[in-house]
């Protein structure tokens, strides 16, 4: 027995090949001459050779798939099973491309199959062949398909299936649902279907607290099946007698609705989920004229397109919000009975899909590749690297190939961070220093230059904050001194020592550098009770702005990051923390890493930028709003003279936490 397979190197194809290789027989694979390397990769992946998996040079767009007549002659009478998988599986592809690949490609495959006298022709179609049929679509139905013109993908799959049904050879058709990654490994090869929602869910997780619940969207069924089920079911059904001339729905007999899918995915991603859902199908009851008018309102389409583009969701996905079709798979389930092949419920493997996507296809991973290009081989010095934002940044930089210099007071914690970076395959060095001590800063800077030659990127992350109203600060000038000492003088002293080397060419001709200063949203919003802290950060901001124009022609760039509230161990025990949007140390590290890639003048959040703009436009009005916030929130326990050693709960939020609190209260966010 021999096989012929088109689309063998595709997503479903390579898993089907793994199943076919468990059986006896040679497998002939259609392949372009320019794609032989992909077939070699597939052979290597499957642990087979050229004798078992034989390349047949051809082209999907040509008659008889462009196979040489001599090769056709050799295949006559040899092929028992012809699997046609090659097609465009993409709702967003243009109509002409889909017609050539899906319809003409199927026609050409049938011509080849007829020429070599195959025993059985197996076509991978799609549930899209049903169009937008309202109700239950059975495996025996075809002509009943409705509104296949809605999308070129629907039409081309329906038309291609029609060609197979009219062919004068034994055929079997397989209609998978939306095929997602492997149920055990999560493996996929591109972003499509349900995966378009993953990035939006990831953003929600980063922007909103996990306990928050909102309004979701109910909708039609989204029938999802993992690729391993599809491949195993196809292989099994193809080799069972008596099923010629039938179509099989490789679908979930108990599919989730849109709301159910989002609930499962948000749970897998540890993101906020909906507590109630609006049924999008209720809009189907609107008169056609009203629906048309709504979509034609000025700016509606433009705003919608911009929003969808930002979220990475194609407009074609809207059809699934009100998808009207249920797919009956009774015959398929009966045929698979006793085989051990069943559709796993999506909740049982959704976490696996999410983890693989986040590890492989998440935009964060693409950012890591960009980060690697930006800093691989460069020396990156990070202060405050023993915990929180500094540690998270150090891990990212180390994993991306930067040589990380870890600076903080506690050597033991720095050593732990160094070991973690080395476990990721990175390189790190520990340089203990007290950054509030000018002599120690001078020492560690010279130590670093002596050992490493230069610092290419300096991240001034170490800092301290004091939350104390001015009325409690009249006799505490030392608070201003010590805050300025670390946040301003410490950072400036480090810059003054490292900057001269950045401006001079190295032995290998390198010149330039990048200084990143971690500032605060408080500088933009003038937060009350933080005069010492905000002033120290503002001083560093002003210093950076002034020297930037002096060093730019030497290739040195300065970036100021106005950091929002970060969910660090310092604020974790506080109740106030639970009430505000936060970002994680990893997300804060992402802001810093993006700055390393783009080297912007400043980085801020929408909230901070709005606060700064509001102060420019109406400073007195902002003072009134912040005064209300000032009265709502107390000074720290230390400022109020509460002794934490005597059993009092020191429920202290960070500076950014209270800064956020004032702003959020003031604007009723």
């Amino acid at each position: 027995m021999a096989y012929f397979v088109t689309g063998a190197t595709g997503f479903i194809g390579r898993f089907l090949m793994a199943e076919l290789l468990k059986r006896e027989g040679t497998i002939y694979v259609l392949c372009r001459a320019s794609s032989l390397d992909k077939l070699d990769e597939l052979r290597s992946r499957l642990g087979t050779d050229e004798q078992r998996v034989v390349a047949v040079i051809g082209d999907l767009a040509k008659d008889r798939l462009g196979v040489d007549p001599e090769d056709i002659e050799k295949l006559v009478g040899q092929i028992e099973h012809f699997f046609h998988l090659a097609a465009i599986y993409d709702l967003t592809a243009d109509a002409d491309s889909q017609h050539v690949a899906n319809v003409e490609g199927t026609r050409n495959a049938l011509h080849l199959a007829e020429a070599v006298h195959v025993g059985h022709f197996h076509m991978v179609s799609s549930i899209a062949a049903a169009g937008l049929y309202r109700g239950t679509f059975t495996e025996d139905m075809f002509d009943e398909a409705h509104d296949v013109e809605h999308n070129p993908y629907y039409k081309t799959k329906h038309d291609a299936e029609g060609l197979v049904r009219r062919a004068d050879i034994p055929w079997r058709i397989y209609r998978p649902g939306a095929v997602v990654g492997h149920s055990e490994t999560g493996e996929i090869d591109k972003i499509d279907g349900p995966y378009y929602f993953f990035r939006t869910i990831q953003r929600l997780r980063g922007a909103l607290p996990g306990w928050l619940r909102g309004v979701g969207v109910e909708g039609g069924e989204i029938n999802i099946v993992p690729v391993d089920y599809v491949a195993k079911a196809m292989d099994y059904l193809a080799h069972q007698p008596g099923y010629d001339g039938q179509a099989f729905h490789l679908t979930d007999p108990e599919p989730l609705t849109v709301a159910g899918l989002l609930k499962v995915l948000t749970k897998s991603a540890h993101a906020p989920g909906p507590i109630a859902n609006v049924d999008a199908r209720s809009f189907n009851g609107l008169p056609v004229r009203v629906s048309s008018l709504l979509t034609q309102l000025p700016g509606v389409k433009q705003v919608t397109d911009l929003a969808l583009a930002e979220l990475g969701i194609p407009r074609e996905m809207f059809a699934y919000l009100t998808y009207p079709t249920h797919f009956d798979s009774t015959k398929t389930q009966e045929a698979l009975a006793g085989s051990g092949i069943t559709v796993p419920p999506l909740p049982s493997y959704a976490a696996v899909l999410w983890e693989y996507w986040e590890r492989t296809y998440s935009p964060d991973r693409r950012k890591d590749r960009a980060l690697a290009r930006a800093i691989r081989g460069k020396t990156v010095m990070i202060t405050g690297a023993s915990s929180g934002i500094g540690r998270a940044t150090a891990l990212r930089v180390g994993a991306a190939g930067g040589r990380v210099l870890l600076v903080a007071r506690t050597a033991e914690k720095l050593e732990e961070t160094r070991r973690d970076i080395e476990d990721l395959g990175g390189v790190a060095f520990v340089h203990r220093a007290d950054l509030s001590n000018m002599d120690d800063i001078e020492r560690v800077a010279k130590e670093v230059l002596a050992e490493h030659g230069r610092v290419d990127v300096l991240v001034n992350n170490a800092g301290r904050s004091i939350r104390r109203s001015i009325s409690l600060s009249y006799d505490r000038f030392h608070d201003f001194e010590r805050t300025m000492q670390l946040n301003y003088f410490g950072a400036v002293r480090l810059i003054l020592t490292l900057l001269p080397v950045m401006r001079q060419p190295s032995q290998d001709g390198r010149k330039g550098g990048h200084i990143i200063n971690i500032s605060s949203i408080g500088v933009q919003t003038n937060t009350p009770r933080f005069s010492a802290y905000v002033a120290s950060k503002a001083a560093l901001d002003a210093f950076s702005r002034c020297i930037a124009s002096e060093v730019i022609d030497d290739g040195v760039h300065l970036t100021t990051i106005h950091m929002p509230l970060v969910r660090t161990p310092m604020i974790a025990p506080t109740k106030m923390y639970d009430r505000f949007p936060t970002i994680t140390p990893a997300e804060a590290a992402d802001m810093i890493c993006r700055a390393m890639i783009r080297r912007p003048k400043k980085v801020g959040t929408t909230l901070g930028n709005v606060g700064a703009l509001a102060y420019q436009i109406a400073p007195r009005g902002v003072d009134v709003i912040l005064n209300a916030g000032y009265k709502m929130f107390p000074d720290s326990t230390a400022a109020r003279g509460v002794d934490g050693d005597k059993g009092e709960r020191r429920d202290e939020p960070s500076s950014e936490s209270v800064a956020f609190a004032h702003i959020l209260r003031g604007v009723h966010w």
Side-chain angles (χ1 to χ4, degrees):
M1 181 183 295
Y3 301 90
F4 192 99
V5 182
T6 72
T9 59
F11 183 40
I12 300 175
R14 61 177 183 261
F15 287 98
L16 176 63
M17 288 287 290
E19 298 301 320
L20 296 179
L21 284 168
K22 297 175 184 177
R23 301 178 181 274
E24 299 293 330
T26 302
I27 304 175
Y28 296 94
V29 172
L30 183 74
C31 185
R32 287 177 178 268
S34 60
S35 300
L36 287 171
D37 56 337
K38 290 185 179 180
L39 185 56
D40 286 337
E41 291 175 6
L42 179 64
R43 291 190 186 110
S44 177
R45 168 193 171 100
L46 299 176
T48 189
D49 55 28
E50 295 179 2
Q51 282 70 44
R52 187 75 197 280
V53 176
V54 180
V56 177
I57 304 302
D59 188 330
L60 192 66
K62 296 180 179 179
D63 188 39
R64 294 185 178 184
L65 299 179
V67 176
D68 187 273
E70 292 185 5
D71 290 333
I72 292 177
E73 188 65 29
K74 294 176 183 178
L75 294 173
V76 172
Q78 300 296 313
I79 309 300
E80 178 64 21
H81 294 283
F82 190 118
F83 287 91
H84 179 50
L85 287 77
I88 291 180
Y89 301 94
D90 189 348
L91 289 173
T92 65
D94 66 89
D96 289 341
S97 298
Q98 293 194 60
H99 180 78
V100 170
N102 298 351
V103 181
E104 296 306 318
T106 300
R107 192 192 310 277
N108 296 331
L110 285 167
H111 288 172
L112 176 62
E114 291 168 347
V116 300
H117 308 303
V118 301
H120 303 275
F121 187 88
H122 305 276
M123 177 209 179
V124 177
S125 182
S126 166
I127 57 174
L132 295 177
Y133 180 85
R134 295 189 180 279
T136 299
F137 201 82
T138 69
E139 293 159 296
D140 296 329
M141 296 169 68
F142 174 70
D143 292 327
E144 295 86 347
H146 179 69
D147 200 10
V148 294
E149 305 285 345
H150 175 79
N151 183 281
Y153 182 66
Y154 295 1
K155 178 172 173 53
T156 56
K157 297 309 288 184
H158 185 269
D159 290 350
E161 198 176 302
L163 292 175
V164 175
R165 289 171 174 274
R166 293 190 295 272
D168 192 24
I169 53 176
W171 55 264
R172 301 181 189 187
I173 292 172
Y174 309 90
R175 297 172 180 160
V179 181
V180 295
H182 195 286
S183 64
E184 295 177 0
T185 66
E187 181 184 351
I188 52 171
D189 65 354
K190 69 172 185 175
I191 300 304
D192 198 4
Y195 289 97
Y196 285 124
F197 296 113
F198 280 36
R199 178 53 177 157
T200 301
I201 292 171
Q202 188 184 58
R203 286 187 173 185
L204 286 174
R205 184 183 65 186
L208 301 172
W211 51 261
L212 187 66
R213 295 293 179 267
V215 178
V217 179
E218 185 58 89
E221 293 178 354
I222 295 188
N223 205 297
I224 293 174
V225 285
V227 66
D228 46 312
Y229 166 74
V230 173
K232 290 177 181 178
M234 282 178 56
D235 169 68
Y236 180 83
L237 294 170
H239 291 88
Q240 299 306 303
Y243 290 131
D244 288 339
Q246 294 190 34
F248 299 93
H249 281 171
L250 305 183
T251 55
D252 187 344
E254 298 181 1
L256 297 174
T257 62
V258 173
L261 172 64
L262 294 178
K263 182 178 180 180
V264 168
L265 293 179
T266 53
K267 182 178 180 181
S268 299
H270 305 290
I275 194 172
N277 297 295
V278 174
D279 195 339
R281 291 169 294 186
S282 62
F283 293 103
N284 289 339
L286 289 175
V288 174
R289 185 176 179 183
V290 174
S291 299
S292 178
L293 286 173
L294 288 175
T295 58
Q296 292 176 19
L297 287 174
V300 169
K301 185 178 185 301
Q302 291 84 346
V303 171
T304 302
D305 287 343
L306 284 172
L308 291 174
E310 176 67 19
L311 296 173
I313 300 174
R315 178 175 280 275
E316 289 78 7
M317 291 301 295
F318 269 167
Y320 290 100
L321 294 180
T322 58
Y323 196 66
T325 316
H326 172 78
F327 294 93
D328 178 78
S329 59
T330 301
K331 289 188 176 181
T332 298
Q333 301 305 316
E334 291 175 352
L336 292 174
S339 68
I341 302 171
T342 59
V343 185
L346 181 62
S348 70
Y349 64 94
V352 176
L353 300 182
W354 178 269
E355 289 168 6
Y356 186 89
W357 173 84
E358 195 159 44
R359 187 172 67 249
T360 311
Y361 284 94
S362 166
D364 292 339
R365 297 302 298 166
R366 294 199 295 272
K367 292 171 189 171
D368 284 346
R369 290 190 285 271
L371 177 64
R373 291 192 295 270
I375 55 94
R376 180 172 286 133
K378 291 184 177 180
T379 301
V380 181
M381 184 173 180
I382 302 172
T383 68
S386 59
S387 64
I389 299 170
R391 172 183 164 82
T393 304
L395 292 173
R396 286 280 299 277
V397 171
R403 299 175 70 253
V404 192
L405 311 185
L406 307 168
V407 180
R409 286 183 300 179
T410 309
E412 294 79 7
K413 290 184 178 180
L414 291 177
E415 287 291 346
E416 181 181 334
T417 302
R418 180 185 62 79
R419 288 192 295 270
D420 289 342
I421 291 173
E422 291 176 348
D423 287 343
L424 294 170
V427 177
F429 303 88
V430 169
H431 293 277
R432 195 211 66 80
D434 181 356
L435 295 172
S436 65
N437 184 302
M438 297 299 108
D439 292 336
D440 212 22
I441 293 174
E442 181 74 11
R443 175 197 61 77
V444 78
K446 290 181 178 179
E447 175 184 291
V448 164
L449 292 177
E451 293 185 21
H452 306 285
R454 66 186 293 116
V455 171
D456 298 296
V457 181
L458 168 62
V459 181
N460 279 313
N461 169 67
R464 67 172 299 149
S465 175
I466 293 179
R467 176 170 127 239
R468 189 186 298 271
S469 62
I470 196 66
S471 62
L472 297 179
S473 302
Y474 298 147
D475 60 348
R476 297 186 62 87
F477 182 71
H478 60 279
D479 284 346
F480 295 84
E481 289 182 307
R482 62 181 181 175
T483 306
M484 191 68 76
Q485 185 82 0
L486 176 59
N487 295 356
Y488 177 62
F489 290 123
V492 169
R493 189 73 194 90
L494 197 55
I495 291 171
L496 292 177
T497 307
L498 300 178
L499 183 59
V501 181
M502 284 186 179
R503 301 182 73 180
Q504 298 299 320
S506 63
Q507 292 182 350
D508 59 3
R510 275 191 300 161
K511 181 182 178 182
H514 189 193
I515 298 170
I516 300 174
N517 296 320
I518 308 304
S519 186
S520 167
I521 191 174
V523 175
Q524 297 176 294
T525 56
N526 310 298
T527 314
R529 285 199 170 87
F530 288 91
S531 53
Y533 172 71
V534 169
S536 66
K537 290 294 186 180
L540 185 59
D541 291 3
F543 169 81
S544 301
R545 290 195 302 271
C546 289
I547 70 168
S549 60
E550 300 181 33
V551 299
I552 191 169
D553 58 345
D554 295 318
V556 179
H557 300 266
L558 286 98
T559 297
T560 295
I561 299 180
H562 294 116
M563 193 68 71
L565 169 63
V566 180
R567 195 181 307 134
T568 63
M570 179 172 63
I571 68 169
T574 69
K575 293 181 179 179
M576 182 178 292
Y577 152 78
D578 292 332
R579 290 182 284 170
F580 304 108
T582 61
I583 63 174
T584 64
E587 289 165 327
D590 183 58
M591 293 178 70
I592 297 171
C593 291
R594 274 185 285 145
M596 291 182 191
I597 298 167
R598 302 173 183 173
R599 297 190 295 189
K601 281 285 293 180
K602 66 177 182 177
V603 177
T605 61
T606 301
L607 190 60
N609 294 336
V610 168
L613 179 61
Y615 195 79
Q616 291 296 318
I617 296 173
R620 187 168 298 178
V622 171
D623 284 347
V624 172
I625 293 173
L626 292 179
N627 179 260
Y630 163 72
K631 294 175 180 177
M632 288 180 185
F633 296 96
D635 285 282
S636 68
T637 52
R640 288 182 280 118
V642 178
D643 189 350
D645 296 330
K646 294 182 179 180
E648 295 286 350
R649 176 178 171 81
R650 300 182 67 87
D651 196 17
E652 289 303 304
S654 73
S655 59
E656 278 76 15
S657 176
V658 179
F660 254 159
H662 287 307
I663 298 167
L664 296 176
R665 292 285 188 179
V667 299
H668 305 291
W669 193 39

